[in-house]
Amino acid sequence: MTGSPTGRAPLPVPVLDIGGTHVTAALVDPAASRVLPSTVVRTPLRSDAEADVVLDAVAAAALALPAGHGPRWGVAMPGPFDYATGVGHFQGMGKFESLSGVDVGAGLRARLAGRAERLCFLNDADAFAVGEYRSGAAAGHDRVVCLTLGTGVGSSFLSRGRPVHSGPVVPPSGHVHRLPVYGRPLEDTVSRRGLRAHYAALRGAAAVGVEGAGALVEAGAEAPTHPATGSGVDDALLPDVRDIAARAGKGEAAAGEAFRYAFDALGRALAPWTDRFEATAVIIGGSVARSWDLIHPALTAGLASAGGRRVPVLPARRPEAAPLLGAAHWSREAGDAP
């Protein structure tokens, strides 16, 4: 983007990245694809709170931004959500249930006291993908698949920087989390709960969360074909994903196998779609992607074993900034989006 018709520098774009535990607000210079660091506001968010509490918390973060920005906001939001109308559809999802049927756009505009003429919503995985396309690892790829790995699997299929949500070359709605693998939805295996439950099964219930108690399964022992979503052990005793990754880094067999199994499964589920979409790269972001040395070999092996075309699997170049950048670019290009 060049200067405005008056010759003055364009105003920065305000953005929001709404997640299950935090909301981030910031101002973005889209011409330079740069988040203005002094403006970033990150505050806790309770996804189980009443609608007014959620909207008040999001608006508070937005209102903490300095004035002097443009009137159109980019808002990255998890689904299921009607991004065109700004209405939530979270019933039965275990998060943001109170926003089901709520006009989130109208609620936020009312709270932003004249600082928002329009809110341009997009899926949070799409925001990440657009940001990586504009100035990250997806730059230069006309057709790319971007994944965010955290509590679950977010996905975006980008064609020339635009998300593709329908048609024969992408999964339903452009989302991979419900793809079948080993007879179950992918997210039962490739998720925080799936990794933890599989690790628990490999260690044995007596050993989970208690150092020195019990013993690892014998090396080479057969892993469960379908990891349960619950291990029968108090969830508080299960180590979190980062702890399992640390144990894998120290050579613990069960921890390494838990990662291998999950991301091999992801590769197997993804392979047919990277072929159909003719993707030239797969970009990985999200909190779990920090364990790159565990994810990359398993994912590439899964892609290859499923007969998928050879496609480079790359780490996100701007994992923290990408959703904010993507939301800013989207707000500039969304035309008449409400």
Side-chain angles (χ1 to χ4, degrees), residues 51-180:
D52 283 340
V53 174
V54 173
L55 294 176
D56 286 348
V58 173
L63 291 169
L65 294 177
H69 54 71
R72 181 182 290 185
W73 293 65
V75 184
M77 186 84 184
F81 192 83
D82 188 328
Y83 297 96
T85 64
V87 175
H89 296 290
F90 297 100
Q91 190 168 4
M93 297 302 297
K95 63 179 181 180
F96 296 125
E97 300 256 357
S98 66
L99 297 183
S100 291
V102 172
D103 189 334
V104 174
L108 289 177
R109 282 193 299 271
R111 287 167 169 80
L112 293 182
R115 288 179 62 174
E117 291 180 7
R118 180 173 295 170
L119 300 175
C120 301
F121 292 95
L122 77 164
N123 179 267
D124 51 357
D126 287 336
F128 162 77
V130 171
E132 283 291 322
Y133 176 80
R134 286 291 187 156
S135 59
H141 291 277
D142 284 347
R143 300 180 75 79
V144 61
V145 179
C146 297
L147 304 178
T148 56
L149 307 176
T151 56
V153 185
S155 56
S156 180
F157 289 71
L158 282 193
S159 176
R160 297 185 178 180
R162 303 287 295 185
V164 179
H165 295 136
S166 61
V169 298
V170 299
S173 301
H175 298 150
V176 305
H177 66 283
R178 289 197 180 98
L179 291 177

Side-chain angles (χ1 to χ4, degrees), residues 185-319:
L186 177 65
E187 207 163 64
D188 282 358
T189 300
V190 187
S191 61
R192 177 176 178 265
R193 73 178 186 278
L195 269 164
R196 296 173 81 207
H198 194 194
Y199 176 71
L202 289 166
R203 282 291 307 259
V208 171
V210 184
E211 291 297 329
L216 291 175
V217 292
E218 294 181 6
E222 184 177 353
T225 301
H226 309 304
T229 55
S231 67
V233 178
D234 185 346
D235 188 69
L237 296 178
L238 290 171
D240 214 335
V241 172
R242 63 180 177 273
D243 302 310
I244 299 171
R247 296 179 185 194
K250 295 176 181 177
E252 185 183 299
E257 172 59 16
F259 269 88
R260 187 211 63 77
Y261 183 90
F263 293 103
D264 178 85
L266 176 58
R268 290 172 184 271
L270 192 63
W273 297 102
T274 57
D275 283 358
R276 293 182 197 182
F277 194 64
E278 297 183 349
T280 57
V282 175
I283 311 301
I284 307 294
S287 59
V288 178
R290 295 167 187 159
S291 304
W292 186 248
D293 58 335
L294 299 172
I295 291 171
H296 183 259
L299 178 52
T300 53
L303 286 165
S305 65
R309 63 202 296 262
R310 293 182 65 85
V311 57
V313 178
L314 308 171
R317 193 177 300 158
R318 308 189 70 180

Side-chain angles (χ1 to χ4, degrees), residues 13-41:
V13 176
V15 296
L16 291 165
D17 181 14
I18 300 173
T21 60
H22 289 81
V23 56
T24 302
L27 299 182
V28 171
D29 176 358
S33 275
R34 186 173 73 94
V35 177
L36 303 180
S38 63
T39 69
V40 177
V41 176

